[in-house]
Amino acid sequence: MTDPRVAAQFVNAIFSMLSFLVFSNSAVDTDSRGMATGMAPQRQQVDIAIGIPLTSAAFTAAVAAGSGPAVELSGIQVAIAVDAFTLIGTGALLRLALHRTSR
């Protein structure tokens, strides 16, 4: 029998994908909606291709010196922090780039 947590995670993934697509297309004019809809899954693929190795490298570097649940939890916290700072930095760079092009 399937674990109910797997089904809940699947439903969560579907709703997050749908909300992401609706949000990403909300401010786009009608002529560019097709391009924006196509770019959304492409962006997710790039995020997966870059994000998983980056997060794994941060986790591996953090837990390289020890073992055990406490060390692994610390490694997960470091990996999430690296991911958060990467997202914040990327968002700031995009904001600057878009602000300069809108002038």
Side-chain angles (χ1 to χ4, degrees):
M1 181 168 181
T2 304
D3 187 3
R5 292 175 290 186
V6 174
Q9 188 63 23
F10 176 76
V11 171
N12 183 27
I14 295 297
F15 281 121
S16 63
M17 179 64 181
L18 287 174
S19 63
F20 169 74
L21 284 172
V22 169
F23 180 72
S24 64
N25 289 327
S26 63
V28 179
D29 60 348
T30 307
D31 297 334
S32 300
R33 276 218 177 117
M35 183 177 63
T37 303
M39 289 176 67
Q42 181 181 9
R43 183 206 62 86
Q44 288 180 332
Q45 290 175 352
V46 170
D47 288 348
I48 290 169
I50 294 171
I52 290 175
L54 178 67
T55 306
S56 298
F59 174 79
T60 304
V63 299
S67 64
V71 175
E72 290 179 7
L73 181 60
S74 174
I76 291 171
Q77 291 172 341
V78 168
I80 291 173
V82 167
D83 188 33
F85 286 124
T86 302
L87 289 172
I88 291 169
T90 303
L93 289 173
L94 284 172
R95 172 111 178 166
L96 286 172
L98 292 174
H99 184 65
R100 288 185 181 168
T101 59
S102 66
R103 286 185 181 182

Coordinates of all heavy atoms in Angstrom, one line a residue:
M1 N 0.8 -1.2 0.0 CA 0.0 0.0 0.0 C 0.9 1.2 0.0 O 1.9 1.3 0.6 CB -0.9 0.0 1.2 CG -1.8 1.2 1.3 SD -3.1 0.9 2.5 CE -4.0 2.4 2.3
T2 N 0.4 2.2 -0.7 CA 1.2 3.5 -0.8 C 1.1 4.3 0.5 O 0.0 4.4 1.1 CB 0.6 4.3 -2.0 OG1 0.7 3.6 -3.2 CG2 1.5 5.6 -2.2
D3 N 2.2 4.8 0.9 CA 2.3 5.7 2.0 C 1.4 7.0 1.8 O 1.6 7.6 0.7 CB 3.7 6.0 2.3 CG 3.9 6.8 3.6 OD1 2.9 7.0 4.4 OD2 5.1 7.1 3.9
P4 N 0.5 7.4 2.7 CA -0.3 8.6 2.4 C 0.6 9.8 2.3 O 0.1 10.8 1.7 CB -1.2 8.6 3.6 CG -0.7 7.6 4.6 CD 0.2 6.7 3.9
R5 N 1.7 9.8 2.9 CA 2.6 11.0 2.8 C 3.1 11.2 1.3 O 3.2 12.4 0.9 CB 3.8 10.9 3.7 CG 3.4 11.0 5.2 CD 4.6 10.8 6.1 NE 5.0 9.3 5.9 CZ 5.9 8.7 6.7 NH1 6.5 9.4 7.6 NH2 6.2 7.5 6.5
V6 N 3.3 10.1 0.6 CA 3.6 10.2 -0.8 C 2.5 10.9 -1.6 O 2.8 11.7 -2.4 CB 4.0 8.8 -1.4 CG1 4.3 8.9 -2.9 CG2 5.2 8.3 -0.6
A7 N 1.3 10.4 -1.4 CA 0.2 11.0 -2.1 C 0.0 12.5 -1.7 O -0.3 13.3 -2.6 CB -1.1 10.2 -1.7
A8 N 0.2 12.8 -0.5 CA 0.1 14.2 0.0 C 1.2 15.1 -0.7 O 0.9 16.2 -1.1 CB 0.2 14.3 1.5
Q9 N 2.4 14.5 -0.8 CA 3.5 15.3 -1.4 C 3.2 15.4 -2.9 O 3.5 16.5 -3.5 CB 4.8 14.5 -1.2 CG 6.0 15.3 -1.7 CD 6.2 16.6 -1.0 OE1 5.8 16.7 0.2 NE2 6.9 17.5 -1.6
F10 N 2.6 14.4 -3.6 CA 2.2 14.5 -5.0 C 1.2 15.7 -5.2 O 1.4 16.5 -6.1 CB 1.7 13.2 -5.5 CG 1.2 13.3 -6.9 CD1 2.1 13.3 -7.9 CD2 -0.2 13.3 -7.2 CE1 1.7 13.3 -9.2 CE2 -0.6 13.3 -8.5 CZ 0.3 13.3 -9.5
V11 N 0.2 15.7 -4.3 CA -0.8 16.8 -4.4 C -0.2 18.1 -4.2 O -0.5 19.1 -4.9 CB -2.0 16.5 -3.5 CG1 -2.9 17.7 -3.4 CG2 -2.7 15.2 -3.9
N12 N 0.7 18.2 -3.2 CA 1.4 19.4 -3.0 C 2.2 19.9 -4.2 O 2.2 21.1 -4.5 CB 2.3 19.3 -1.7 CG 3.0 20.5 -1.3 OD1 2.5 21.6 -1.6 ND2 4.2 20.4 -0.7
A13 N 2.9 19.0 -4.8 CA 3.7 19.3 -6.0 C 2.8 19.8 -7.1 O 3.2 20.8 -7.8 CB 4.5 18.1 -6.5
I14 N 1.7 19.2 -7.3 CA 0.8 19.6 -8.4 C 0.3 21.1 -8.1 O 0.3 21.9 -9.0 CB -0.4 18.7 -8.5 CG1 0.0 17.3 -9.0 CG2 -1.5 19.2 -9.5 CD1 0.7 17.3 -10.4
F15 N -0.2 21.3 -6.9 CA -0.7 22.6 -6.6 C 0.4 23.7 -6.6 O 0.2 24.8 -7.1 CB -1.4 22.7 -5.2 CG -2.8 22.1 -5.2 CD1 -3.1 21.0 -4.5 CD2 -3.7 22.7 -6.1 CE1 -4.4 20.5 -4.5 CE2 -5.0 22.1 -6.1 CZ -5.3 21.0 -5.3
S16 N 1.6 23.4 -6.2 CA 2.7 24.3 -6.3 C 3.1 24.6 -7.7 O 3.4 25.8 -8.1 CB 3.9 23.9 -5.5 OG 4.4 22.7 -6.0
M17 N 3.0 23.6 -8.6 CA 3.3 23.9 -10.0 C 2.2 24.7 -10.7 O 2.5 25.7 -11.4 CB 3.4 22.5 -10.8 CG 3.7 22.6 -12.2 SD 5.3 23.4 -12.5 CE 5.3 23.5 -14.3
L18 N 1.0 24.4 -10.4 CA -0.1 25.2 -10.9 C -0.1 26.7 -10.4 O -0.2 27.6 -11.2 CB -1.5 24.6 -10.6 CG -1.8 23.3 -11.3 CD1 -3.1 22.7 -10.7 CD2 -1.9 23.6 -12.8
S19 N 0.2 26.8 -9.1 CA 0.2 28.2 -8.6 C 1.4 29.0 -9.2 O 1.4 30.2 -9.4 CB 0.3 28.2 -7.1 OG 1.4 27.5 -6.6
F20 N 2.6 28.2 -9.4 CA 3.7 28.9 -10.0 C 3.4 29.4 -11.4 O 3.8 30.5 -11.8 CB 4.9 27.9 -10.0 CG 6.1 28.4 -10.8 CD1 6.9 29.4 -10.4 CD2 6.4 27.8 -12.0 CE1 7.9 29.9 -11.1 CE2 7.4 28.3 -12.8 CZ 8.2 29.3 -12.3
L21 N 2.7 28.5 -12.2 CA 2.4 28.9 -13.6 C 1.4 30.1 -13.6 O 1.6 31.0 -14.4 CB 1.9 27.7 -14.3 CG 2.9 26.7 -14.8 CD1 2.2 25.4 -15.4 CD2 3.8 27.3 -15.8
V22 N 0.4 30.0 -12.7 CA -0.5 31.1 -12.7 C 0.2 32.4 -12.3 O 0.0 33.5 -12.9 CB -1.7 30.8 -11.8 CG1 -2.6 32.0 -11.5 CG2 -2.5 29.7 -12.4
F23 N 1.0 32.4 -11.3 CA 1.7 33.5 -10.8 C 2.7 34.1 -11.8 O 2.8 35.3 -12.0 CB 2.4 33.2 -9.5 CG 3.2 34.4 -8.9 CD1 2.5 35.4 -8.3 CD2 4.6 34.4 -9.0 CE1 3.2 36.5 -7.8 CE2 5.3 35.5 -8.5 CZ 4.6 36.5 -7.9
S24 N 3.4 33.2 -12.5 CA 4.4 33.6 -13.5 C 3.7 34.3 -14.7 O 4.4 35.0 -15.4 CB 5.3 32.5 -13.9 OG 4.6 31.5 -14.6
N25 N 2.5 33.9 -15.0 CA 1.8 34.5 -16.2 C 0.8 35.6 -15.8 O 0.3 36.2 -16.7 CB 1.0 33.4 -16.9 CG 1.9 32.4 -17.6 OD1 2.9 32.8 -18.1 ND2 1.4 31.2 -17.6
S26 N 0.7 36.0 -14.6 CA -0.3 37.0 -14.2 C 0.0 38.4 -14.7 O -0.9 39.1 -15.0 CB -0.5 37.0 -12.7 OG 0.7 37.4 -12.0
A27 N 1.3 38.7 -14.8 CA 1.7 40.1 -15.2 C 2.1 40.1 -16.6 O 2.6 41.2 -17.1 CB 2.8 40.6 -14.3
V28 N 1.9 39.1 -17.4 CA 2.4 39.0 -18.8 C 1.2 39.3 -19.7 O 0.1 38.9 -19.5 CB 3.0 37.6 -19.1 CG1 3.4 37.5 -20.5 CG2 4.1 37.3 -18.1
D29 N 1.5 40.1 -20.7 CA 0.5 40.5 -21.6 C 0.1 39.3 -22.5 O 0.8 38.3 -22.5 CB 0.8 41.7 -22.5 CG 2.1 41.4 -23.3 OD1 2.8 40.4 -23.1 OD2 2.3 42.2 -24.3
T30 N -1.0 39.3 -23.1 CA -1.6 38.2 -23.9 C -0.7 37.7 -25.0 O -0.6 36.5 -25.2 CB -3.0 38.6 -24.5 OG1 -3.8 39.1 -23.4 CG2 -3.6 37.4 -25.1
D31 N 0.0 38.6 -25.6 CA 0.9 38.2 -26.7 C 2.1 37.4 -26.3 O 2.6 36.6 -27.0 CB 1.4 39.4 -27.5 CG 0.3 40.2 -28.2 OD1 -0.8 39.6 -28.4 OD2 0.4 41.4 -28.4
S32 N 2.6 37.5 -25.0 CA 3.8 36.9 -24.5 C 3.4 35.7 -23.6 O 4.4 35.1 -23.1 CB 4.6 37.9 -23.8 OG 5.0 38.9 -24.7
R33 N 2.2 35.4 -23.4 CA 1.8 34.3 -22.5 C 2.4 32.9 -22.9 O 2.8 32.2 -22.0 CB 0.3 34.2 -22.3 CG -0.1 35.2 -21.3 CD -1.2 34.8 -20.3 NE -1.4 35.9 -19.4 CZ -2.5 36.5 -19.3 NH1 -3.5 36.2 -20.0 NH2 -2.5 37.5 -18.5
G34 N 2.3 32.6 -24.1 CA 2.8 31.3 -24.6 C 4.3 31.2 -24.3 O 4.8 30.1 -23.8
M35 N 5.1 32.2 -24.5 CA 6.5 32.2 -24.2 C 6.8 32.1 -22.7 O 7.6 31.3 -22.3 CB 7.2 33.4 -24.8 CG 8.7 33.4 -24.5 SD 9.6 34.8 -25.2 CE 8.9 36.1 -24.3
A36 N 6.0 32.8 -21.9 CA 6.2 32.7 -20.5 C 5.8 31.3 -19.9 O 6.4 30.8 -19.0 CB 5.3 33.8 -19.8
T37 N 4.7 30.7 -20.5 CA 4.3 29.4 -20.1 C 5.4 28.4 -20.4 O 5.6 27.4 -19.7 CB 3.0 29.0 -20.7 OG1 2.0 30.0 -20.4 CG2 2.5 27.7 -20.3
G38 N 6.0 28.5 -21.6 CA 7.1 27.6 -22.0 C 8.4 27.8 -21.1 O 9.1 26.9 -20.9
M39 N 8.6 29.0 -20.7 CA 9.9 29.3 -19.9 C 9.8 28.8 -18.5 O 10.8 28.5 -17.9 CB 10.2 30.8 -20.0 CG 10.6 31.3 -21.3 SD 10.9 33.0 -21.4 CE 12.3 33.2 -20.3
A40 N 8.6 28.7 -18.0 CA 8.4 28.3 -16.6 C 8.9 26.9 -16.3 O 9.7 26.7 -15.4 CB 6.9 28.4 -16.2
P41 N 8.5 25.8 -17.1 CA 9.1 24.5 -16.9 C 10.6 24.5 -17.2 O 11.4 23.7 -16.6 CB 8.3 23.6 -17.8 CG 7.1 24.3 -18.2 CD 7.4 25.8 -18.1
Q42 N 11.1 25.3 -18.2 CA 12.5 25.3 -18.5 C 13.3 25.9 -17.3 O 14.3 25.4 -17.0 CB 12.7 26.2 -19.7 CG 14.1 26.3 -20.2 CD 14.3 27.1 -21.4 OE1 13.4 27.8 -21.8 NE2 15.5 27.1 -21.9
R43 N 12.7 26.9 -16.7 CA 13.4 27.4 -15.5 C 13.5 26.4 -14.4 O 14.5 26.3 -13.7 CB 12.7 28.7 -15.0 CG 13.4 29.3 -13.8 CD 12.4 30.1 -12.9 NE 11.4 29.3 -12.3 CZ 11.5 28.7 -11.2 NH1 12.7 28.7 -10.5 NH2 10.5 28.0 -10.7
Q44 N 12.4 25.6 -14.2 CA 12.5 24.6 -13.2 C 13.5 23.5 -13.5 O 14.2 23.0 -12.6 CB 11.1 24.0 -13.0 CG 10.1 24.9 -12.4 CD 8.7 24.3 -12.2 OE1 8.3 23.4 -13.0 NE2 8.0 24.7 -11.2
Q45 N 13.7 23.2 -14.8 CA 14.7 22.2 -15.1 C 16.1 22.7 -14.8 O 17.0 22.0 -14.4 CB 14.5 21.8 -16.6 CG 13.3 21.0 -16.8 CD 13.1 20.7 -18.3 OE1 13.8 21.2 -19.2 NE2 12.1 19.8 -18.6
V46 N 16.3 24.0 -15.1 CA 17.6 24.6 -14.9 C 17.9 24.6 -13.4 O 19.0 24.3 -12.9 CB 17.7 26.0 -15.5 CG1 19.0 26.7 -15.0 CG2 17.7 25.9 -17.0
D47 N 16.8 25.0 -12.6 CA 16.9 25.0 -11.1 C 17.3 23.6 -10.6 O 18.1 23.5 -9.7 CB 15.6 25.5 -10.5 CG 15.4 27.0 -10.7 OD1 16.3 27.7 -11.2 OD2 14.3 27.4 -10.4
I48 N 16.7 22.6 -11.1 CA 17.0 21.2 -10.7 C 18.4 20.9 -11.0 O 19.1 20.3 -10.2 CB 16.0 20.2 -11.2 CG1 14.6 20.5 -10.6 CG2 16.4 18.8 -11.0 CD1 13.5 19.7 -11.2
A49 N 18.8 21.2 -12.3 CA 20.2 20.8 -12.7 C 21.3 21.5 -11.9 O 22.3 21.0 -11.8 CB 20.3 21.1 -14.2
I50 N 21.0 22.7 -11.5 CA 22.0 23.5 -10.7 C 21.8 23.3 -9.2 O 22.8 23.2 -8.5 CB 22.0 25.0 -11.1 CG1 22.4 25.1 -12.6 CG2 22.9 25.8 -10.2 CD1 22.2 26.5 -13.1
G51 N 20.6 23.4 -8.8 CA 20.3 23.4 -7.3 C 20.6 22.1 -6.6 O 21.2 22.1 -5.5
I52 N 20.3 20.9 -7.2 CA 20.6 19.7 -6.5 C 22.1 19.5 -6.3 O 22.5 19.2 -5.2 CB 19.9 18.5 -7.3 CG1 18.4 18.6 -7.1 CG2 20.4 17.2 -6.8 CD1 17.6 17.6 -7.9
P53 N 22.9 19.7 -7.4 CA 24.4 19.5 -7.1 C 24.9 20.5 -6.1 O 25.8 20.2 -5.3 CB 25.0 19.7 -8.5 CG 23.9 19.4 -9.4 CD 22.7 19.8 -8.8
L54 N 24.4 21.8 -6.2 CA 24.9 22.8 -5.3 C 24.5 22.5 -3.8 O 25.4 22.5 -2.9 CB 24.3 24.2 -5.6 CG 24.7 25.3 -4.8 CD1 26.2 25.6 -4.9 CD2 23.9 26.6 -5.1
T55 N 23.3 22.1 -3.6 CA 22.8 21.7 -2.3 C 23.5 20.5 -1.8 O 23.9 20.4 -0.6 CB 21.3 21.5 -2.3 OG1 20.7 22.7 -2.8 CG2 20.8 21.2 -0.9
S56 N 23.7 19.5 -2.7 CA 24.4 18.2 -2.3 C 25.9 18.5 -1.9 O 26.4 18.0 -0.9 CB 24.4 17.2 -3.4 OG 23.1 16.9 -3.7
A57 N 26.5 19.4 -2.6 CA 27.9 19.8 -2.3 C 28.0 20.5 -1.0 O 28.9 20.2 -0.2 CB 28.5 20.7 -3.4
A58 N 27.1 21.4 -0.7 CA 27.1 22.1 0.6 C 26.9 21.1 1.7 O 27.5 21.2 2.8 CB 26.0 23.2 0.6
F59 N 25.9 20.2 1.6 CA 25.7 19.2 2.6 C 26.9 18.3 2.8 O 27.3 18.0 3.9 CB 24.5 18.3 2.2 CG 24.2 17.1 3.1 CD1 23.6 17.3 4.3 CD2 24.6 15.9 2.8 CE1 23.4 16.3 5.2 CE2 24.4 14.8 3.6 CZ 23.8 15.0 4.8
T60 N 27.5 17.8 1.7 CA 28.7 16.9 1.8 C 29.8 17.6 2.5 O 30.5 17.0 3.3 CB 29.1 16.4 0.4 OG1 28.0 15.8 -0.2 CG2 30.2 15.5 0.5
A61 N 30.1 18.9 2.2 CA 31.1 19.6 2.8 C 30.9 19.8 4.3 O 31.8 19.8 5.1 CB 31.3 21.0 2.1
A62 N 29.6 20.0 4.6 CA 29.3 20.3 6.0 C 29.4 19.0 6.9 O 29.8 19.1 8.1 CB 27.9 20.8 6.2
V63 N 29.1 17.8 6.3 CA 29.2 16.6 7.1 C 30.4 15.8 6.9 O 30.5 14.7 7.4 CB 27.9 15.7 6.8 CG1 26.7 16.4 7.2 CG2 27.9 15.2 5.4
A64 N 31.4 16.3 6.2 CA 32.6 15.5 5.9 C 33.4 15.2 7.1 O 34.1 14.1 7.1 CB 33.5 16.3 4.9
A65 N 33.4 16.0 8.1 CA 34.2 15.7 9.3 C 33.6 14.8 10.3 O 34.3 14.3 11.2 CB 34.5 17.1 10.0
G66 N 32.3 14.4 10.2 CA 31.8 13.6 11.3 C 30.6 12.8 10.7 O 30.3 12.7 9.6
S67 N 30.0 12.1 11.7 CA 28.8 11.3 11.3 C 27.8 11.3 12.5 O 28.1 11.7 13.6 CB 29.2 9.8 11.0 OG 29.8 9.2 12.2
G68 N 26.6 10.9 12.2 CA 25.6 10.9 13.2 C 24.5 11.8 12.8 O 24.6 12.7 12.0
P69 N 23.3 11.6 13.5 CA 22.2 12.5 13.2 C 22.4 14.0 13.4 O 21.9 14.8 12.6 CB 21.1 11.9 14.1 CG 21.6 10.6 14.6 CD 23.0 10.6 14.5
A70 N 23.1 14.3 14.5 CA 23.3 15.8 14.7 C 24.2 16.4 13.6 O 23.9 17.5 13.2 CB 24.0 16.0 16.1
V71 N 25.2 15.7 13.1 CA 26.0 16.2 12.1 C 25.2 16.3 10.8 O 25.3 17.3 10.0 CB 27.3 15.3 11.9 CG1 28.1 15.8 10.7 CG2 28.1 15.4 13.2
E72 N 24.4 15.3 10.5 CA 23.6 15.3 9.3 C 22.5 16.5 9.3 O 22.3 17.1 8.3 CB 22.9 14.0 9.1 CG 23.8 12.9 8.7 CD 23.2 11.6 8.5 OE1 21.9 11.5 8.6 OE2 23.9 10.6 8.3
L73 N 22.0 16.7 10.5 CA 21.0 17.8 10.6 C 21.7 19.1 10.4 O 21.2 20.0 9.7 CB 20.3 17.8 12.0 CG 19.3 18.9 12.3 CD1 18.2 18.8 11.3 CD2 18.8 18.8 13.7
S74 N 22.9 19.3 10.9 CA 23.7 20.5 10.7 C 24.0 20.6 9.2 O 24.0 21.8 8.7 CB 25.0 20.4 11.5 OG 25.8 21.5 11.2
G75 N 24.3 19.5 8.6 CA 24.6 19.6 7.1 C 23.4 20.0 6.3 O 23.5 20.8 5.4
I76 N 22.2 19.6 6.7 CA 21.0 20.0 6.1 C 20.7 21.5 6.3 O 20.3 22.2 5.4 CB 19.8 19.1 6.6 CG1 19.9 17.7 6.1 CG2 18.4 19.7 6.1 CD1 18.9 16.7 6.7
Q77 N 21.0 21.9 7.5 CA 20.8 23.4 7.8 C 21.8 24.2 6.9 O 21.4 25.3 6.4 CB 21.0 23.6 9.2 CG 19.9 23.1 10.1 CD 20.1 23.1 11.6 OE1 21.3 23.3 12.0 NE2 19.1 23.0 12.4
V78 N 23.0 23.8 6.8 CA 24.0 24.5 5.9 C 23.5 24.5 4.5 O 23.6 25.5 3.8 CB 25.4 23.9 6.1 CG1 26.3 24.4 5.1 CG2 25.9 24.1 7.5
A79 N 23.1 23.3 4.0 CA 22.6 23.2 2.6 C 21.4 24.2 2.3 O 21.4 24.8 1.3 CB 22.3 21.8 2.3
I80 N 20.5 24.2 3.3 CA 19.3 25.1 3.1 C 19.7 26.6 3.2 O 19.2 27.4 2.4 CB 18.2 24.8 4.1 CG1 17.6 23.4 3.8 CG2 17.2 25.8 4.2 CD1 16.7 22.9 4.9
A81 N 20.7 26.9 4.0 CA 21.2 28.3 4.1 C 21.9 28.7 2.8 O 21.7 29.8 2.3 CB 22.1 28.4 5.3
V82 N 22.7 27.8 2.2 CA 23.4 28.0 1.0 C 22.3 28.3 -0.1 O 22.4 29.2 -0.9 CB 24.3 26.9 0.6 CG1 24.8 27.0 -0.8 CG2 25.5 26.9 1.5
D83 N 21.3 27.4 -0.1 CA 20.2 27.6 -1.1 C 19.5 28.9 -1.0 O 19.2 29.6 -1.9 CB 19.3 26.4 -1.0 CG 18.2 26.3 -2.1 OD1 18.5 26.7 -3.2 OD2 17.1 25.9 -1.8
A84 N 19.2 29.3 0.3 CA 18.5 30.5 0.5 C 19.3 31.7 0.1 O 18.8 32.6 -0.6 CB 18.1 30.6 2.0
F85 N 20.6 31.7 0.4 CA 21.5 32.9 0.0 C 21.7 32.9 -1.5 O 21.7 34.0 -2.1 CB 22.8 32.8 0.7 CG 22.8 33.2 2.2 CD1 23.2 32.3 3.2 CD2 22.2 34.4 2.6 CE1 23.2 32.6 4.5 CE2 22.2 34.7 3.9 CZ 22.6 33.9 4.9
T86 N 21.7 31.8 -2.1 CA 21.8 31.7 -3.6 C 20.5 32.3 -4.2 O 20.6 33.1 -5.1 CB 22.0 30.3 -4.1 OG1 23.2 29.8 -3.5 CG2 22.1 30.2 -5.6
L87 N 19.4 32.0 -3.7 CA 18.1 32.5 -4.2 C 18.0 34.0 -4.0 O 17.6 34.8 -4.8 CB 16.9 31.8 -3.6 CG 16.7 30.4 -4.0 CD1 15.6 29.7 -3.2 CD2 16.4 30.3 -5.5
I88 N 18.4 34.5 -2.8 CA 18.3 35.9 -2.5 C 19.3 36.7 -3.4 O 18.9 37.7 -3.9 CB 18.6 36.1 -1.0 CG1 17.5 35.6 -0.1 CG2 18.9 37.6 -0.7 CD1 17.8 35.5 1.4
G89 N 20.5 36.1 -3.6 CA 21.5 36.8 -4.4 C 21.0 36.9 -5.9 O 21.1 37.9 -6.6
T90 N 20.4 35.8 -6.4 CA 19.9 35.7 -7.7 C 18.8 36.7 -7.9 O 18.7 37.4 -8.9 CB 19.5 34.3 -8.1 OG1 20.6 33.4 -7.9 CG2 19.0 34.2 -9.5
G91 N 17.9 36.7 -6.9 CA 16.8 37.7 -7.0 C 17.2 39.1 -7.0 O 16.7 39.9 -7.7
A92 N 18.2 39.4 -6.2 CA 18.8 40.8 -6.2 C 19.4 41.2 -7.5 O 19.2 42.3 -8.0 CB 19.8 40.9 -5.0
L93 N 20.1 40.2 -8.1 CA 20.7 40.5 -9.4 C 19.7 40.7 -10.5 O 19.8 41.6 -11.3 CB 21.7 39.4 -9.8 CG 23.0 39.3 -9.0 CD1 23.8 38.0 -9.4 CD2 23.8 40.5 -9.2
L94 N 18.7 39.8 -10.5 CA 17.6 40.0 -11.4 C 16.8 41.3 -11.2 O 16.5 42.0 -12.2 CB 16.6 38.8 -11.3 CG 17.1 37.5 -11.9 CD1 16.1 36.4 -11.6 CD2 17.2 37.6 -13.4
R95 N 16.6 41.7 -10.0 CA 16.0 43.0 -9.8 C 16.8 44.1 -10.3 O 16.2 45.0 -10.9 CB 15.7 43.1 -8.3 CG 15.3 44.5 -7.8 CD 13.9 44.4 -7.4 NE 13.5 45.7 -6.9 CZ 12.3 46.0 -6.7 NH1 11.3 45.1 -6.8 NH2 11.9 47.2 -6.3
L96 N 18.1 44.1 -10.1 CA 18.9 45.1 -10.6 C 18.9 45.1 -12.2 O 18.8 46.2 -12.8 CB 20.4 45.0 -10.1 CG 20.6 45.3 -8.7 CD1 22.1 44.9 -8.3 CD2 20.4 46.8 -8.5
A97 N 19.0 44.0 -12.8 CA 19.0 43.9 -14.2 C 17.7 44.4 -14.8 O 17.6 45.1 -15.8 CB 19.3 42.5 -14.7
L98 N 16.6 44.0 -14.2 CA 15.3 44.4 -14.7 C 15.0 45.9 -14.5 O 14.4 46.5 -15.2 CB 14.2 43.5 -14.1 CG 14.1 42.1 -14.5 CD1 13.1 41.3 -13.7 CD2 13.9 42.0 -16.0
H99 N 15.5 46.4 -13.4 CA 15.3 47.8 -13.1 C 16.1 48.7 -14.1 O 15.6 49.7 -14.5 CB 15.8 48.1 -11.6 CG 15.6 49.5 -11.2 ND1 14.3 50.0 -11.0 CD2 16.5 50.5 -10.9 CE1 14.5 51.3 -10.7 NE2 15.7 51.6 -10.6
R100 N 17.3 48.2 -14.5 CA 18.1 49.0 -15.5 C 17.4 48.9 -16.8 O 17.5 49.9 -17.6 CB 19.5 48.4 -15.5 CG 20.3 48.8 -14.3 CD 21.7 48.3 -14.5 NE 22.4 48.6 -13.3 CZ 23.6 48.2 -13.0 NH1 24.2 47.4 -13.8 NH2 24.2 48.5 -11.9
T101 N 16.8 47.8 -17.2 CA 16.2 47.7 -18.5 C 14.9 48.5 -18.6 O 14.4 48.8 -19.7 CB 16.0 46.3 -19.0 OG1 15.1 45.6 -18.0 CG2 17.3 45.5 -19.1
S102 N 14.2 48.7 -17.5 CA 12.9 49.4 -17.5 C 13.0 50.9 -17.6 O 12.1 51.6 -17.8 CB 12.1 49.0 -16.3 OG 12.7 49.5 -15.1
R103 N 14.2 51.4 -17.5 CA 14.4 52.9 -17.5 C 14.3 53.4 -18.9 O 14.4 53.3 -19.9 CB 15.7 53.3 -16.9 CG 15.7 53.2 -15.4 CD 17.0 53.7 -14.9 NE 17.0 53.5 -13.4 CZ 18.0 53.9 -12.6 NH1 19.0 54.5 -13.1 NH2 17.9 53.8 -11.4

